[in-house]
Amino acid sequence: MLPGTRACSGCGLSLAYRHILKALGEKTILTIPASCLTVLHGLYPSTSVGLTNINTAFATTAASATGIAAGLKALGKTDYTVVGIAGDGGTFDIGIQALSAAAERNTDFLYICYDNEGYMNTGTQRSSATPMGAFTTTTPGTKFEHKKDILAIMEAHGIPYMASASPAYPLDLYDKVVKAKNINGTRFMHINIPCSPGWGFPTDDLVELGKLAVDTAMWVLLEIENGVLRLTGRSRSMARSGKKKPVSQYLKLQGRFKHVTPEQIDYLQGWIDKRWQRFLQRHELSEET
Amino acid sequence: MGAKLCRVQVIAAYPITPQSKIPETLVKYVDSGELEAEFIRVESEHSALTVCISASTVGARVFTATAANGLAYMHEQLHWAAGARLPIVMALANRGLGAPWTIFNDMQDSISQRDTGWMQVYCRDNQEIMDSMIMAYKICEQLHVPMMVCFDGFVLSHTVMPVEIPDQKQVDAFLPPYVPHLQVDGPEPININPVMLAGPRANAQGVFCPSYMGFRMRLQEALESAGDVILEVGREFGEVFGRSYECLLWQYRTEGADTILLTMGSLANEASLAADALREKGCKAGVVSLRIFRPFPAEPLRQALSGAKHVVIFDKNISYGNEGATCTETKAALFEGGLQPTITNFIVGLGGKNIVATDLEAATEEALKRRVQINGPQWIGVAV
Ligand SMILES: Cc1ncc(C[n+]2csc(CCOP(=O)(O)OP(=O)(O)O)c2C)c(N)n1
Ligand code: SF4
């Protein structure tokens, strides 16, 4: 990735993308749908990304990756990693049909969802990945529904590898991309992307927020391989120490949660705690085996 | 079968009546090893065409087939395929669109997609479908424009006709392997189909590159030049296989005809019978049948209609609030040539409504009786 992309300054996606592309290496063909990432890639005839990319329509990331993989296979070009990268809107919402189908066929590609928890490219509308309590331009009061559990959905497809990661923990992220790259079949990665204009925080707080998301277990670093869930990195040490920060610390740094009521915070905290418990149980099981 | 002869490398299709037989047949060829191709069992037509688009982008020869609502579901990607300048060939079993549901034939599906930048060829019989498939790849790969090979659902898709199967070696010689115009695995990385602005912008070397509109203009230019390519490929096909397609429209007994029945697809066969019957009654009737609808063959059509006093146009489609599509387009072509025959437009055969030669004959006689321009389309076969 070259300097001078068209993403906002202090963009969590730029940070994550730098590590992702490094981990992927040259023998990679990307495909991306309409999103902030399209903008980051630049305007014709220049691009800030040094890998070949096939832009594709909003709903089609996984189908496009399927086509690339099939085309390369038919032509005997088997040494490429095919990678589809889409936002949460392109994954949780409009692209989920094609993604589910590709995963069901266990198509040989890596799917990366970068999750900035809203339709940011079109001006911060809600997606089904927007957390409960957040302000967006289409939830001007608050969002009442919890974030869709995309990991559970993808896990139900029985794919060989899944992981979630954060650019605030770049080594963990890098290692997971390298690992995913070397596995056959459909691999799914879910990456937390703090977004300053969409979430309402000063760009300086980018890494701080990424870390707080993990420290509060709003975001959990994990891997699921052949049905076995393991916490990794910071989430793993949290499991060991038993320490987890209250979600209010994370919420108060962001404009989008300015209007949440104490009841909503409790409700969200309850949701996080339950989910965290489930992850802990599964993690402990994996440690025993 | 045609796709197999063309050695397609990636096939993606989703079942819809009356197209389902096509992918079912192809998957057997792939599974038995008779055809070396990747067959992708997608979950929708939107994905079927997307798979074709991306596989074609990396350099594979691709094929899909659909009908009716499946084609409508592809709409976004039809534009994408043409905009991306990919030589995709699609078999389209023409079928009426819901609501209400019909599984039977009309041309509303493909006519509704006429502005997507795809070429459209309409076949009269099963031999033409097979031949058009083979020619389609050659035409598309020369122009970098996709093509729909359209044929009447059930009327042709589910009828058995003797078809001469071209020899594989001859097809291979006629249609060499596809050489893509983009190199995705070349030395330089490329960002394919990125965001564009309305005006030209300079690249890193300071050279100005085309704008969005510049690319649109190039697609139009490609379609404007497509007629010549279609003729040339049709001529070459005739030389190799003995059946020439050096024409953009078919003519039957048009010599000295003052009344022309204008049709597309398999209806041409019924129209020819109607013309014979009319001739016997002393009416100088002939038939013009559009083989190619996009690019629209305006010039050949003007020539074919130059001696006509009456043109009777049968459309298996309608542009609601106006008239049948071939009627509108024919009028526009005639206007440019300063020709002013009376024109009567009949809407026929929607949702598989049976339409035979005697219907066409009676309709033509009725049009001739009035001998004046009738405004607005007339409907045949609607009792209630
Ligand atoms: C079919 C279709 N509908 C809507 C759009 C408009 N659109 C472009 S990007 C986008 C939102 C993208 O959101 P997400 O996938 O979360 O990525 P982000 O912009 O947040 O990076 C939308 C709605 C489109 N391009 N295509
Ligand atoms: S809107 Fe957010 S995710 Fe998109 S480019 Fe800007 S900072 Fe990055």
Side-chain angles (χ1 to χ4, degrees):
Chain A
M1 202 164 99
L2 301 167
T5 78
R6 287 188 172 259
C8 309
S9 60
C11 166
L13 174 58
S14 308
L15 186 60
Y17 207 37
R18 183 178 296 281
H19 300 300
I20 293 168
L21 294 179
K22 256 202 194 119
L24 288 174
E26 275 184 11
K27 283 274 175 187
T28 302
I29 295 185
L30 304 165
T31 187
I32 61 173
S35 60
C36 284
L37 194 50
T38 328
V39 178
L40 184 151
H41 268 254
L43 292 171
Y44 180 79
S46 45
T47 176
S48 56
V49 179
L51 288 179
T52 284
N53 170 46
I54 299 175
N55 287 281
T56 191
F58 194 21
T60 64
T61 314
S64 173
T66 305
I68 297 169
L72 291 174
K73 193 169 168 211
L75 297 168
K77 297 175 181 174
T78 48
D79 51 346
Y80 280 89
T81 306
V82 179
V83 185
I85 311 189
D88 47 290
T91 304
F92 287 57
D93 295 339
I94 199 166
I96 198 165
Q97 173 178 321
L99 172 59
S100 172
E104 185 265 338
R105 294 187 303 262
N106 200 22
T107 304
D108 191 18
F109 79 118
L110 167 59
Y111 190 103
I112 299 177
C113 170
Y114 72 89
D115 186 356
N116 53 21
E117 306 191 320
Y119 300 160
M120 298 316 180
N121 184 41
T122 39
T124 323
Q125 293 86 13
R126 119 203 244 280
S127 79
S128 59
T130 305
M132 200 276 290
F135 162 93
T136 68
T137 52
T138 49
T139 52
T142 189
K143 184 177 182 257
F144 291 103
E145 308 80 13
H146 283 301
K147 189 180 177 86
K148 190 189 269 185
D149 191 349
I150 194 75
L151 289 176
I153 293 170
M154 291 313 294
E155 193 180 0
H157 289 79
I159 53 178
Y161 183 79
M162 296 175 43
S164 66
S166 160
Y169 294 96
L171 287 180
D172 179 77
L173 167 63
Y174 183 91
D175 288 347
K176 284 169 175 167
V177 176
V178 170
K179 187 166 176 182
K181 180 181 134 170
N182 293 313
I183 293 173
N184 290 328
T186 304
R187 297 86 83 190
F188 181 79
M189 287 191 65
H190 189 204
I191 299 175
N192 182 230
I193 302 292
C195 162
S196 142
W199 295 9
F201 63 82
T203 50
D204 295 357
D205 288 354
L206 171 68
V207 175
E208 168 78 9
L209 258 176
K211 287 190 165 161
L212 261 177
V214 176
D215 287 351
T216 55
M218 258 306 255
W219 196 269
V220 178
L221 308 179
L222 55 76
E223 274 181 335
I224 304 177
E225 239 176 312
N226 300 317
V228 179
L229 182 149
R230 279 188 333 108
L231 298 176
T232 67
R234 175 76 189 152
S235 296
R236 186 157 182 238
S237 29
M238 282 163 62
R240 281 213 197 102
S241 67
K243 282 190 195 139
K244 177 162 74 59
K245 291 184 177 161
V247 73
S248 54
Q249 283 192 25
Y250 172 71
L251 302 183
K252 71 173 185 229
L253 292 183
Q254 303 172 53
R256 64 176 172 157
F257 293 114
K258 214 157 71 192
H259 302 288
V260 285
T261 60
E263 293 76 35
Q264 279 179 321
I265 296 177
D266 285 349
Y267 187 48
L268 189 59
Q269 186 67 59
W271 180 81
I272 292 171
D273 292 348
K274 255 198 231 149
R275 200 171 69 123
W276 178 241
Q277 274 311 316
R278 285 204 307 273
F279 285 148
L280 280 181
Q281 278 167 9
R282 288 188 64 185
H283 175 68
E284 276 159 23
L285 273 177
S286 80
E287 300 267 273
E288 281 164 22
T289 52
Chain B
M1 188 73 214
K4 175 172 169 257
L5 285 170
C6 296
R7 297 193 189 277
V8 297
Q9 293 162 306
V10 174
I11 304 160
Y14 190 76
I16 182 166
T17 305
Q19 152 273 26
S20 308
K21 264 271 160 279
I22 303 171
E24 284 169 15
T25 310
L26 284 170
V27 80
K28 277 188 204 139
Y29 291 142
V30 173
D31 282 355
S32 69
E34 280 174 81
L35 174 62
E36 243 180 82
E38 295 294 310
F39 188 99
I40 311 295
R41 294 147 178 94
V42 283
E43 87 300 343
S44 71
E45 288 86 356
H46 198 274
S47 288
L49 189 49
T50 305
V51 166
C52 289
I53 286 169
S54 289
S56 178
T57 306
V58 301
R61 183 174 285 162
V62 303
F63 174 72
T64 188
T66 190
N69 293 59
L71 184 67
Y73 200 34
M74 284 179 177
H75 179 73
E76 179 186 26
Q77 297 306 76
L78 292 175
H79 279 286
W80 197 280
R85 301 298 300 272
L86 297 168
I88 299 172
V89 174
M90 172 196 297
L92 186 82
N94 281 115
R95 163 181 156 177
L97 280 157
W101 283 119
T102 174
I103 58 166
F104 298 108
N105 165 243
D106 63 46
M107 293 178 181
Q108 195 69 30
D109 51 0
S110 53
I111 292 293
S112 301
Q113 306 297 348
R114 66 179 173 182
D115 299 335
T116 53
W118 285 58
M119 295 181 278
Q120 292 189 350
V121 53
Y122 288 81
C123 304
R124 292 175 306 177
D125 56 37
N126 289 357
Q127 183 73 58
E128 262 184 58
I129 303 174
M130 161 86 68
D131 295 348
S132 299
M133 284 289 305
I134 297 166
M135 286 185 282
Y137 281 102
K138 198 168 170 98
I139 296 161
C140 293
E141 288 170 11
Q142 215 163 315
L143 292 162
H144 306 293
V145 175
M147 183 183 257
M148 284 176 210
V149 177
C150 309
F151 49 93
D152 292 309
F154 286 108
V155 181
L156 294 183
S157 68
H158 282 59
T159 46
V160 180
M161 295 180 193
V163 169
E164 205 173 297
I165 311 245
D167 173 61
Q168 180 71 62
K169 278 205 195 95
Q170 279 183 317
V171 176
D172 289 344
F174 179 77
L175 182 67
Y178 170 46
V179 184
H181 63 302
L182 265 182
Q183 210 50 43
V184 287
D185 54 349
E188 292 291 326
I190 26 178
N191 189 22
I192 300 165
N193 299 317
V195 184
M196 308 219 28
L197 294 183
R201 296 179 77 238
N203 67 11
Q205 286 78 42
V207 180
F208 274 89
C209 297
S211 61
Y212 180 84
M213 215 162 145
F215 278 105
R216 292 297 82 136
M217 190 181 75
R218 283 166 177 78
L219 178 57
Q220 165 68 6
E221 285 170 354
L223 272 114
E224 282 172 3
S225 69
D228 289 341
V229 176
I230 293 168
L231 289 175
E232 175 54 25
V233 171
R235 187 191 60 74
E236 235 179 280
F237 189 91
E239 275 176 13
V240 180
F241 301 99
R243 291 179 297 278
S244 174
Y245 290 85
E246 198 183 352
C247 64
L248 303 179
L249 43 80
W250 300 108
Q251 301 193 41
Y252 178 75
R253 299 183 83 166
T254 48
E255 217 141 288
D258 62 6
T259 302
I260 298 290
L261 288 72
L262 190 83
T263 63
M264 281 205 305
S266 64
L267 200 56
N269 306 320
E270 296 299 326
S272 302
L273 296 175
D276 288 343
L278 287 163
R279 285 262 179 186
E280 258 172 47
K281 291 181 191 167
C283 166
K284 285 189 247 157
V287 178
V288 171
S289 174
L290 301 179
R291 183 167 90 85
I292 307 293
F293 183 69
R294 278 290 178 277
F296 194 73
E299 185 50 41
L301 186 60
R302 274 193 289 275
Q303 279 171 22
L305 299 183
S306 58
K309 292 201 193 101
H310 311 285
V311 180
V312 188
I313 304 177
F314 298 96
D315 268 299
K316 278 192 189 174
N317 69 83
I318 180 157
S319 174
Y320 295 105
N322 194 18
E323 59 194 357
T326 47
C327 180
T328 307
E329 308 230 353
T330 302
K331 280 181 182 169
L334 292 176
F335 179 82
E336 281 189 18
L339 298 169
Q340 287 194 324
T342 67
I343 291 180
T344 313
N345 186 202
F346 288 101
I347 306 299
V348 300
L350 300 192
K353 175 71 188 168
N354 198 27
I355 176 101
V356 293
T358 45
D359 300 324
L360 302 180
E361 186 189 331
T364 306
E365 283 174 331
E366 191 196 314
L368 291 177
K369 232 186 289 163
R370 303 199 198 172
R371 294 211 165 248
V372 287
Q373 179 81 30
I374 298 171
N375 291 321
Q378 313 294 302
W379 292 64
I380 296 185
V382 189
V384 190

